[in-house]
Amino acid sequence: MDLIQLAHGSGGRMMHQLIKEFFVPAFDMRELGDSAVLKNTFSDRIAVTTDSYVVSPLFFPGGDIGRLSVCGTVNDLAVSGATPVYMTAGFIIEEGFPFDHLRRVLASMRSAAREAGVRIVAGDTKVVDRGKADGLFINTAGFGVVDEGLELSSSKVKPGDKVLLSGSMGNHGVAVMAERNGISFEPPLLSDVRPLNTLVRRMLERTDKIHMMRDPTRGGVATTLNEIASESGRCIVVQESAITITPGVRGACELLGLDPLYIANEGILIAVAEPSVAEELADEMRTTSEGVGAAIIGEVVEGPMGTVLLKTSVGGIRIVDMLSGDQLPRIC
Amino acid sequence: MDLIQLAHGSGGRMMHQLIKEFFVPAFDMRELGDSAVLKNTFSDRIAVTTDSYVVSPLFFPGGDIGRLSVCGTVNDLAVSGATPVYMTAGFIIEEGFPFDHLRRVLASMRSAAREAGVRIVAGDTKVVDRGKADGLFINTAGFGVVDEGLELSSSKVKPGDKVLLSGSMGNHGVAVMAERNGISFEPPLLSDVRPLNTLVRRMLERTDKIHMMRDPTRGGVATTLNEIASESGRCIVVQESAITITPGVRGACELLGLDPLYIANEGILIAVAEPSVAEELADEMRTTSEGVGAAIIGEVVEGPMGTVLLKTSVGGIRIVDMLSGDQLPRIC
């Protein structure tokens, strides 16, 4: 049978075969020692990130757990101002998982890694008994180079700063949710999962007046804005009308009873920049395919500390709080 | 209830609380951005490794999944000749997991990290629904510095080389297996899980004639010797009588029907070195607490390529093959 067995995680011959047949070709690995020893092409400062991916289902419109794991890692580095260089990938596989699915996931990681220009340099595989995992979990670590003198931090956020969003929101969460519930839309709603490092590079080359960036994944735009407000001790006021959302996502949210502000995204970023450069920065972003929907969505003001306020399209103001839990578990 | 809920992995307030109350103090984290930006204290070459830990049960005599995850990462770097510097940790937690257990695991990681002198610089937490994981999985990545000019590789292994083992084998696997099956021994059999970086440092300072090192974890001493034989294209002959094994582990193996050669270890290493330095290297190893049981257990010879031969205590010779699967799944 073409299914993963517990023995594939054993350290024995079957595991060696699995690694040789699947992982080595997928990532062009050469040595299979305990660590990958790499030329240090790093500058003075390196950025490090780690993430576990437990998305359910593993395959969804516009992507899969493999693409997600690479893009998520690359994007965490990119929004920290780092150029992604290397990443590692650890696989926890449930006994009985189809080899064919593993093959698809690895191919997808490989192609996403190429797209982002990042190298997967170390891996690990564990297999757990049937019923003790959910098909496949992937954990990654990523590291990259931070340019000399570049410092992006929520502590630099100050009143007057503009808040930019690089594209329309809600696409990833809605695509996963629809797939999970067996709902399909016409035209199909696709996840926005994609690497953002090229967009970030362009932004940083354009101006040195970006104070911080973050990608609104789990918890969505609302949660990320709350994090920024809370960490910087500022108030952020957002114009609801400035936030783009596709008609498909809007319709799906209404149907499913979801608030798109809290839905996970995997291909957009939030940036806070000095007002003097906000317009040209948005223009620059719009020249890229990832940032074509970029807009200034709000600004940082003196006001109740750590608060996010939304000026609604009908003219009201409401507090956008952090949710306690989540509308959509296991979205990434 | 003091149990993990699905919402603790959501990206919302509950997850932020979990991170603030548990992970930040455990690892002395400061910023909670998407990546940790670090001063590059790296030399010209860095070593990178990743591992997932799915050991069952999570707590066992002599250690737990937390200590295991730190030591395993540190040791993979150390046997590659690297000085461990940083590591990351990703947690996949099953809904309903007790906070108290998480607290114990984190404390154990913290103390193992101190012991090994490594810093945990980035983390991630995901929670999956009940029944979709097995309590807790931990994935780590580790990186370290490789000294200028140091090159450890199975390709350097050549006929005449001596094979050294740093201590008695089988302790980790038997301790986990006993705990899993509700068996206890008197005196108790403890896992050997411990950091080996100090031992490795001492060995590398003693001589530059070590050709390679590896820690015999999953698959045990037999599998690691097979890896070395296969990668180097050499034949390794091992003296059974030279391999130490405690009476407790030997007894447990007989009782459980296990071959100790294939049992996972988490606190010993195999080194291959030039014959001229083998004795003094073993002496040096014995001056450390981790290497007190060090011995020369065999040598590399011209012979059937990729083969491991065992000279048994009763005078026979048998081929020690790699197992197809494993006697003990989920041992690390």
Side-chain angles (χ1 to χ4, degrees):
Chain A
M1 285 271 285
D2 240 16
L3 301 178
I4 291 276
Q5 296 167 47
L6 207 48
H8 279 113
S10 66
R13 191 182 303 284
M14 285 174 69
M15 194 185 81
H16 283 81
Q17 257 167 18
L18 174 71
I19 292 172
K20 241 178 234 170
E21 284 172 29
F22 283 73
F23 295 90
V24 171
F27 304 141
D28 294 323
M29 287 171 163
R30 263 148 297 177
E31 283 217 51
L32 288 177
D34 284 316
S35 301
V37 176
L38 307 166
K39 257 284 191 226
N40 181 9
T41 53
F42 288 163
S43 69
D44 193 45
R45 291 184 308 156
I46 60 167
V48 179
T49 186
T50 185
D51 253 305
S52 299
Y53 296 87
V54 298
V55 64
S56 166
L58 299 174
F59 301 92
F60 47 82
D64 59 41
I65 190 172
R67 180 170 175 81
L68 186 61
S69 68
V70 173
C71 295
T73 307
V74 162
N75 293 348
D76 275 352
L77 291 171
V79 295
S80 304
T83 302
V85 183
Y86 296 127
M87 59 178 284
T88 65
F91 299 81
I92 297 175
I93 312 176
E94 185 186 7
E95 185 186 13
F97 187 70
F99 277 108
D100 184 48
H101 289 188
L102 184 58
R103 211 172 276 119
R104 280 170 64 194
V105 168
L106 292 175
S108 171
M109 289 181 79
R110 183 187 171 87
S111 106
R114 285 210 173 157
E115 196 178 329
V118 73
R119 251 184 73 204
I120 300 174
V121 293
D124 180 64
T125 308
K126 292 284 172 359
V127 179
V128 298
D129 2 355
R130 216 178 274 262
K132 300 296 186 188
D134 196 12
L136 175 67
F137 301 141
I138 299 178
N139 182 290
T140 64
F143 17 137
V145 184
V146 185
D147 283 351
E148 203 54 55
L150 177 65
E151 190 116 14
L152 300 177
S153 165
S154 44
S155 64
K156 296 177 79 178
V157 170
K158 58 181 199 302
D161 281 358
K162 297 292 184 187
V163 179
L164 294 90
L165 183 65
S166 68
S168 71
M169 72 177 176
N171 299 279
H172 175 71
V174 164
V176 172
M177 191 65 177
E179 183 72 18
R180 193 185 297 170
N181 291 293
I183 305 169
S184 59
F185 295 95
E186 202 41 55
L189 297 180
L190 303 182
S191 164
D192 60 352
V193 57
R194 65 190 153 191
L196 294 170
N197 50 328
T198 306
L199 170 64
V200 168
R201 179 66 24 212
R202 290 277 291 276
M203 292 168 69
L204 293 174
E205 279 166 8
R206 180 73 194 197
T207 171
D208 60 0
K209 301 209 160 34
I210 298 172
H211 289 159
M212 61 114 34
M213 288 186 274
R214 194 159 294 178
D215 55 336
T217 54
R218 263 189 298 182
V221 169
T223 301
T224 300
L225 289 174
N226 267 281
E227 287 172 0
I228 300 171
S230 148
E231 289 169 24
S232 64
R234 307 295 183 181
C235 175
I236 296 175
V237 179
V238 173
Q239 293 284 350
E240 187 176 31
S241 58
I243 302 176
T244 53
I245 173 166
T246 65
V249 170
R250 187 181 302 279
C253 282
E254 280 167 12
L255 188 73
L256 298 163
L258 299 170
D259 183 342
L261 272 174
Y262 294 93
I263 292 184
N265 310 279
E266 294 291 344
I268 58 173
L269 62 82
I270 291 173
V272 181
E274 287 194 13
S276 60
V277 299
E279 286 294 352
E280 68 170 283
L281 184 58
D283 286 343
E284 178 73 38
M285 291 166 77
R286 282 184 217 111
T287 65
T288 68
S289 62
E290 308 95 297
V292 73
I296 299 170
I297 62 162
E299 64 179 330
V300 180
V301 300
E302 304 276 7
M305 283 186 8
T307 314
V308 178
L309 301 175
L310 184 76
K311 286 197 179 172
T312 63
S313 308
V314 294
I317 290 189
R318 72 170 171 105
I319 292 177
V320 177
D321 208 354
M322 205 181 272
L323 290 189
S324 177
D326 193 2
Q327 326 178 87
L328 302 176
R330 299 189 56 192
I331 214 71
C332 60
Chain B
M1 284 271 283
D2 239 17
L3 301 178
I4 292 276
Q5 295 167 47
L6 208 48
H8 279 113
S10 66
R13 190 182 304 284
M14 285 174 69
M15 193 185 81
H16 283 80
Q17 256 166 20
L18 173 71
I19 291 171
K20 241 178 235 170
E21 283 172 30
F22 282 74
F23 295 90
V24 171
F27 305 140
D28 294 325
M29 288 173 162
R30 264 149 296 178
E31 281 218 52
L32 290 176
D34 285 315
S35 302
V37 176
L38 306 166
K39 255 285 190 228
N40 180 9
T41 52
F42 289 161
S43 70
D44 194 45
R45 290 185 308 157
I46 59 167
V48 179
T49 186
T50 186
D51 253 305
S52 299
Y53 296 87
V54 299
V55 65
S56 166
L58 298 175
F59 301 92
F60 48 81
D64 59 39
I65 190 173
R67 180 170 176 80
L68 185 62
S69 68
V70 173
C71 296
T73 307
V74 162
N75 293 348
D76 275 351
L77 291 171
V79 296
S80 304
T83 302
V85 183
Y86 296 127
M87 59 179 284
T88 65
F91 299 81
I92 297 175
I93 312 176
E94 185 186 6
E95 185 186 12
F97 188 70
F99 276 109
D100 184 46
H101 289 190
L102 183 59
R103 212 173 275 120
R104 280 170 63 194
V105 168
L106 291 176
S108 172
M109 290 182 78
R110 182 187 172 86
S111 105
R114 285 210 174 158
E115 196 178 330
V118 73
R119 250 184 73 203
I120 300 174
V121 293
D124 181 62
T125 307
K126 293 285 173 358
V127 179
V128 299
D129 3 353
R130 215 178 275 262
K132 299 297 186 188
D134 195 13
L136 175 66
F137 301 141
I138 299 178
N139 182 290
T140 64
F143 16 137
V145 185
V146 185
D147 283 352
E148 203 56 54
L150 178 66
E151 190 116 13
L152 299 177
S153 165
S154 44
S155 64
K156 296 178 79 178
V157 171
K158 58 179 199 302
D161 282 357
K162 298 291 184 187
V163 179
L164 294 91
L165 183 64
S166 68
S168 71
M169 72 177 175
N171 298 281
H172 175 72
V174 165
V176 172
M177 191 64 176
E179 182 72 18
R180 194 186 296 170
N181 292 294
I183 306 169
S184 58
F185 296 95
E186 197 47 52
L189 297 179
L190 303 182
S191 163
D192 60 351
V193 56
R194 64 189 153 191
L196 294 171
N197 50 329
T198 306
L199 171 64
V200 168
R201 179 64 26 212
R202 290 278 291 277
M203 294 168 68
L204 292 174
E205 278 166 9
R206 181 73 194 195
T207 171
D208 60 358
K209 301 205 161 34
I210 298 171
H211 289 158
M212 62 115 30
M213 289 186 272
R214 194 159 294 177
D215 55 336
T217 54
R218 264 190 296 182
V221 168
T223 301
T224 300
L225 289 175
N226 267 283
E227 287 172 1
I228 299 171
S230 148
E231 289 169 23
S232 64
R234 306 295 184 181
C235 175
I236 296 175
V237 179
V238 173
Q239 293 284 351
E240 188 176 30
S241 58
I243 302 176
T244 53
I245 173 167
T246 66
V249 170
R250 187 182 300 280
C253 281
E254 280 166 11
L255 187 74
L256 297 164
L258 299 170
D259 184 341
L261 272 175
Y262 293 92
I263 292 184
N265 310 279
E266 293 292 344
I268 58 173
L269 62 82
I270 291 173
V272 181
E274 288 194 11
S276 60
V277 298
E279 285 295 351
E280 67 169 283
L281 184 58
D283 286 344
E284 177 74 36
M285 290 166 77
R286 283 186 215 110
T287 65
T288 67
S289 63
E290 307 95 298
V292 73
I296 299 171
I297 61 162
E299 64 179 330
V300 180
V301 300
E302 305 275 8
M305 283 188 3
T307 314
V308 178
L309 301 175
L310 185 76
K311 287 198 179 171
T312 63
S313 307
V314 295
I317 290 189
R318 71 169 172 104
I319 292 178
V320 178
D321 208 354
M322 206 181 272
L323 290 189
S324 176
D326 194 1
Q327 325 180 85
L328 301 175
R330 298 191 56 193
I331 213 72
C332 59

